[in-house]
Amino acid sequence: MSNDVHELLGRAADEAGQPATSTRAVYAGAARVRLRRRVGVSVAAVAVVAAGAVAVPSLAPKGDTGETTVAAPVELAGNKGRAQDLAKVLPKDVGDIAQVSLSVIIKGDTSQKEMEHLQGPLDGHFSVRKDGGVGYLVIGYMNTGSPVAGSDPCKSAQGVPGMADCVNEKVPGGGVLTTWSDSMDYEGAPKWGRELVGRLVLKDGGVLSIRDSTGFKGERAQGPLLKTPPLTRAQLRTLLLSPELLPKK
């Protein structure tokens, strides 16, 4: 993957709610290598903002850490259908699903954003509410034009170890499915909880990526962290292999 794409994803990660300091750290010091690896191998997962979606600016009150209360969902106007479609391919007990914008939730940015390079039918940010906590699924598909999408997250690079519990798996059709754990112990705000990450690199250059997050802490948090990511690793694998997440050919 070219440096241009890395930089695009870094900027998009900022827009999608990743801490600005973490995005800048992609290109600085030892953390630069680790974060750049994460952004690169995740491809669109941290970058997704549903194209043409208009956000409803009903944020939690400023100063609310979300540690003891759960705010009402910050949903995207006119996009309940996408959340309902996603719910159909998720386990029934995963929790309540709503399509949201991390830009709105974290930054209060209500401007319309479009990312034309994203092409998946279920791309977007989705909150998952269960047992009083709020986690997130962030889904993105992008055709890179190359069957090699960034570095292998399972391998060490420039002295930085591979991602925790990282597993590569060849799947039918010539694709490679990778899942790993991320402690999200990066500097900056908000403070994200741990998550699972999955990536499916297809033979035709398509890349489907999913963040399976326990949520975040901060003044705009929508609720406490989930105790575990919304999906187990096995469930994340199943979702990555779901044809409903890929563009129709």
Side-chain angles (χ1 to χ4, degrees):
M1 182 178 293
S2 69
N3 288 336
D4 289 343
V5 174
H6 280 301
E7 292 169 4
L8 171 63
L9 294 173
R11 291 195 300 270
D14 253 351
E15 294 173 356
Q18 287 290 81
T21 54
S22 292
T23 303
R24 289 193 294 270
V26 171
Y27 298 100
R32 174 188 69 86
V33 179
R34 185 179 180 191
L35 289 176
R36 184 171 182 178
R37 170 196 292 273
R38 181 176 184 276
V39 171
V41 298
S42 296
V43 189
V46 296
V48 174
V49 176
V54 179
V56 179
S58 53
L59 298 172
K62 188 173 183 180
D64 183 358
T65 63
E67 293 298 296
T68 58
T69 62
V70 178
V74 179
E75 295 190 66
L76 295 183
N79 282 273
K80 289 185 177 181
R82 184 168 293 202
Q84 291 172 351
D85 289 342
L86 176 61
K88 293 176 182 178
V89 297
L90 293 175
K92 292 183 179 180
D93 61 350
V94 69
D96 294 328
I97 308 297
Q99 188 181 0
V100 300
S101 166
L102 290 175
S103 295
V104 172
I105 292 173
I106 295 173
K107 295 184 175 183
D109 182 357
T110 60
S111 63
Q112 178 173 308
K113 296 183 181 298
E114 294 185 3
M115 300 192 69
E116 296 180 355
H117 61 283
L118 295 174
Q119 305 166 351
L122 294 180
D123 286 351
H125 303 156
F126 300 89
S127 66
V128 181
R129 293 170 176 262
K130 185 176 182 180
D131 298 331
V134 182
Y136 297 92
L137 292 173
V138 183
I139 302 172
Y141 172 87
M142 178 173 146
N143 195 324
T144 67
S146 169
V148 180
S151 58
D152 184 347
C154 297
K155 295 181 179 179
S156 298
Q158 301 182 39
V160 177
M163 302 303 289
D165 304 320
C166 189
V167 177
N168 280 321
E169 171 191 359
K170 291 184 179 180
V171 296
V176 177
L177 189 152
T178 308
T179 56
W180 66 93
S181 300
D182 196 327
S183 64
M184 297 299 289
D185 56 346
Y186 308 125
E187 295 182 0
K191 178 62 178 176
W192 286 88
R194 62 191 179 90
E195 61 185 46
L196 295 172
V197 186
R199 180 187 74 173
L200 175 64
V201 179
L202 301 173
K203 193 173 182 180
D204 63 2
V207 181
L208 174 65
S209 297
I210 300 176
R211 282 180 63 193
D212 180 20
S213 171
T214 55
F216 69 90
K217 299 178 181 180
E219 66 177 13
R220 293 185 181 274
Q222 295 291 288
L225 300 178
L226 294 177
K227 293 181 180 179
T228 61
L231 302 178
T232 65
R233 187 183 288 258
Q235 290 170 338
L236 177 60
R237 178 185 180 278
T238 298
L239 185 60
L240 284 163
L241 294 174
S242 299
E244 290 87 350
L245 273 62
L246 299 177
K248 294 182 179 180
K249 296 183 178 180

